Amino acid sequence: MRNEKSQFLRSIPCVLLAACNEGSKGMRSNQACLQDPSSNWPVLPGTLKRGDIEGLLIDLRSALGLSPARLDALLAMIRRTRPSDWTDPGTDAVCYVQQQQLAMDLDKSARALRYDEAALVRLGFISRGTIGNGRRCAPVTASPEKYGLSFSPLISQVTHLFELRELLQREANRVRALRLSCLALRQQFRLLLTELRETHPESPQLLQLEQAQDAWPHRMDRRWTAEALDEYRAAIAAAVREASQFRDLCHEPSGEPETDFRCHIQDTTERFPESCSCQESQHASRSEESNPPANIISADTAFLKPTQLYAISSEEMRFWLDGVRDGRREFDQTDFIEAAARRVPELGISDSAWEEALDQLSPLRAALAILIIDANRNHPVTPVRSPGGLLRTFIRLHRGGRLNLAGSLIGLVERKRGPVQAGPPGSVTSRHHNRFPSV
């Protein structure tokens, strides 16, 4: 797992150097690069300024293989150019400071600075030009010749560098989301094992689940790649589903009625749960605590079906729900946990807030909290401006026993009553669709 990420990072400078060679042919020759007035000099695209390039190089330091000392040298050279030269096609951005003076400013030897300059030339960031005695100087006449460190090669590759940063940011966001998913699924799996140890301590299936847990790594290494984390996530998700199915089977009645047995009194009226207020929902959940049915996700969603939760979710949450469902016909509790974890980075919620929600609320209720926060970002009256702050508020309310997720879910259902009730009989949005297994 570690080697995969190392190979990925080591390949970045090679790819970038190939792009530099392709995009700046003929610009690597020292004298020709600085003295060719036949065409306009490259400039920064759009409204970019010299300072934007400094920030870009700082962000890409590790990916480009630049040591902190070499990056400091590169930034010192850049800051000794005129900012206007980076956006003026009629002139070149050149650093004229003498090598000895620049070495003194950086508190390093001239020899070390020469090594830095040679490495930056190989990376395609600068090209060097000097007069006969090796000195650098600006022209004193109208001659186009310039002698110094030219940043035309770097300017030519700015687009590639921004694409590289975007690629690395996407990779980092994916790794973070997968890590948060793994944390939530592991927490859910531990809760399921705890429940099974209390109800079926001698079950062979419980032993198999415990052996699977022992085979997992004790912690997630920060250097794991997205592919390694995704493989780990899939293994945990499969174990969670297996444990949930085993737990639900244990809750089902073991006896079956005789085929010719007919009750004298039969009630054929279909009853569908109605939720008029939060108090009614809480009363219903309290009445079922002694024998929780096996077809609900939790007391907060006893009155909702999986497709109703899907309908009240935001478009972004639905996107992740469709992705993690992976072709299965029905949603399950694991889908909502994974989708919520994927939305945490996108909503700007910190990792610590998510981890605290997992510990305090349980993974399923934390997922419902994210669903509610996400859906209320477009609330017509009081839209959510700080998702992370609201999640912390939910945690504080839970500690005080005043968190009412059911009331928030009822409000979302009321706002989207049309889409929730849509669908012909027998469809996935019909009333007869199964609910979640219990928590």
Side-chain angles (χ1 to χ4, degrees):
M1 295 178 182
R2 298 179 183 178
N3 293 336
E4 294 176 5
K5 186 168 185 179
S6 300
Q7 293 173 0
F8 171 73
L9 292 177
R10 283 198 298 269
S11 66
I12 290 175
C14 299
V15 173
L16 180 63
L17 183 56
C20 292
N21 292 334
E22 182 67 22
S24 57
K25 292 180 179 179
M27 299 187 67
R28 299 291 297 278
S29 137
N30 289 347
Q31 294 287 356
C33 175
L34 299 182
Q35 297 182 4
D36 182 12
S38 59
S39 61
N40 290 335
W41 298 103
V43 296
L44 296 179
T47 59
L48 293 176
K49 303 296 182 183
R50 189 188 69 178
D52 299 322
I53 306 306
E54 296 177 21
L56 175 65
L57 293 172
I58 293 173
D59 293 341
L60 295 177
R61 183 191 68 80
S62 298
L64 297 175
L66 295 174
S67 65
R70 186 157 294 167
L71 176 63
D72 288 341
L74 176 58
L75 296 177
M77 299 171 192
I78 291 176
R79 289 166 186 154
R80 284 161 175 79
T81 62
R82 289 191 305 181
S84 60
D85 291 347
W86 293 72
T87 56
D88 184 2
T91 185
D92 188 14
V94 178
C95 172
Y96 300 108
V97 178
Q98 299 303 315
Q99 192 175 78
Q100 294 81 359
Q101 181 61 45
L102 187 57
M104 290 178 58
D105 295 342
L106 293 170
D107 195 20
K108 61 170 47 179
S109 66
R111 180 180 181 182
L113 184 58
R114 283 196 295 271
Y115 287 152
D116 290 338
E117 291 179 2
L120 295 174
V121 169
R122 288 193 299 270
L123 280 174
F125 286 168
I126 63 173
S127 60
R128 293 182 291 185
T130 58
I131 58 178
N133 61 359
R135 295 183 62 83
R136 304 165 184 169
C137 64
V140 295
T141 64
S143 174
E145 290 84 358
K146 294 184 178 181
Y147 304 98
L149 302 177
S150 171
F151 287 94
S152 292
L154 175 60
I155 296 174
S156 300
Q157 302 309 318
V158 163
T159 302
H160 296 292
L161 290 173
F162 273 101
E163 292 174 353
L164 175 60
R165 184 170 70 174
E166 183 180 357
L167 172 65
L168 293 175
Q169 287 176 343
R170 287 201 302 267
E171 180 75 4
N173 291 337
R174 184 186 175 203
V175 167
R176 182 188 172 200
L178 287 171
R179 190 180 301 277
L180 296 178
S181 296
C182 292
L183 287 174
L185 292 173
R186 287 182 61 166
Q187 179 84 348
Q188 179 68 9
F189 187 71
R190 284 194 293 267
L191 293 176
L192 289 169
L193 284 187
T194 300
E195 180 181 348
L196 292 175
R197 289 189 184 106
E198 295 176 354
T199 57
H200 298 80
E202 305 298 331
S203 172
Q205 286 145 322
L206 175 60
L207 179 61
Q208 293 178 359
L209 293 172
E210 290 176 336
Q211 291 174 346
Q213 183 186 35
D214 294 338
W216 296 339
H218 294 292
R219 63 184 183 88
M220 291 178 285
D221 197 307
R222 288 290 178 183
R223 289 169 288 185
W224 280 12
T225 62
E227 289 72 20
L229 283 169
D230 192 41
E231 182 180 351
Y232 183 43
R233 176 207 58 79
I236 304 175
V240 170
R241 290 190 173 95
E242 182 180 353
S244 299
Q245 292 172 1
F246 174 56
R247 188 270 317 272
D248 296 338
L249 287 175
C250 296
H251 285 170
E252 291 181 357
S254 57
E256 295 184 0
E258 295 292 336
T259 56
D260 57 349
F261 178 79
R262 182 177 178 87
C263 295
H264 296 285
I265 301 176
Q266 293 187 355
D267 185 0
T268 59
T269 304
E270 290 185 303
R271 292 184 176 86
F272 304 106
E274 299 290 341
S275 300
C276 301
S277 65
C278 303
Q279 289 78 7
E280 292 181 9
S281 172
Q282 293 171 346
H283 177 73
S285 63
R286 284 194 299 269
S287 65
E288 297 168 347
E289 284 179 355
S290 58
N291 186 20
N295 65 339
I296 61 174
I297 184 171
S298 70
D300 299 299
T301 56
F303 55 93
L304 289 176
K305 313 177 189 73
T307 47
Q308 286 179 307
L309 286 175
Y310 178 86
I312 63 178
S313 301
S314 67
E315 291 293 333
E316 295 83 0
M317 181 71 81
R318 293 182 192 179
F319 171 81
W320 286 115
L321 285 170
D322 292 335
V324 299
R325 184 169 56 170
D326 195 22
R328 286 178 284 105
R329 182 177 179 273
E330 298 179 359
F331 294 107
D332 61 21
Q333 56 190 9
T334 308
D335 296 331
F336 281 83
I337 294 175
E338 288 195 65
R342 298 298 183 91
R343 285 294 290 151
V344 166
E346 298 175 350
L347 292 172
I349 299 174
S350 65
D351 295 1
S352 61
W354 173 244
E355 293 175 13
E356 186 179 6
L358 294 177
D359 293 335
Q360 299 292 326
L361 305 180
S362 81
L364 287 177
R365 299 193 79 211
L368 290 177
I370 296 297
L371 184 151
I372 293 169
I373 293 171
D374 190 19
N376 279 302
R377 288 183 305 119
N378 298 321
H379 193 280
V381 180
T382 56
V384 174
R385 301 299 185 189
S386 177
L390 184 55
L391 182 60
R392 298 278 191 186
T393 302
F394 280 4
I395 296 172
R396 287 195 298 270
L397 291 174
H398 170 76
R399 289 171 179 167
R402 295 182 292 114
L403 179 61
N404 184 10
L405 294 179
S408 299
L409 292 171
I410 290 173
L412 291 175
V413 171
E414 291 297 326
R415 290 214 324 261
K416 297 189 177 182
R417 180 171 292 277
V420 171
Q421 294 181 342
S427 68
V428 294
T429 56
S430 65
R431 291 175 179 261
H432 301 284
H433 192 60
N434 291 332
R435 296 185 180 90
F436 285 113
S438 61
V439 177

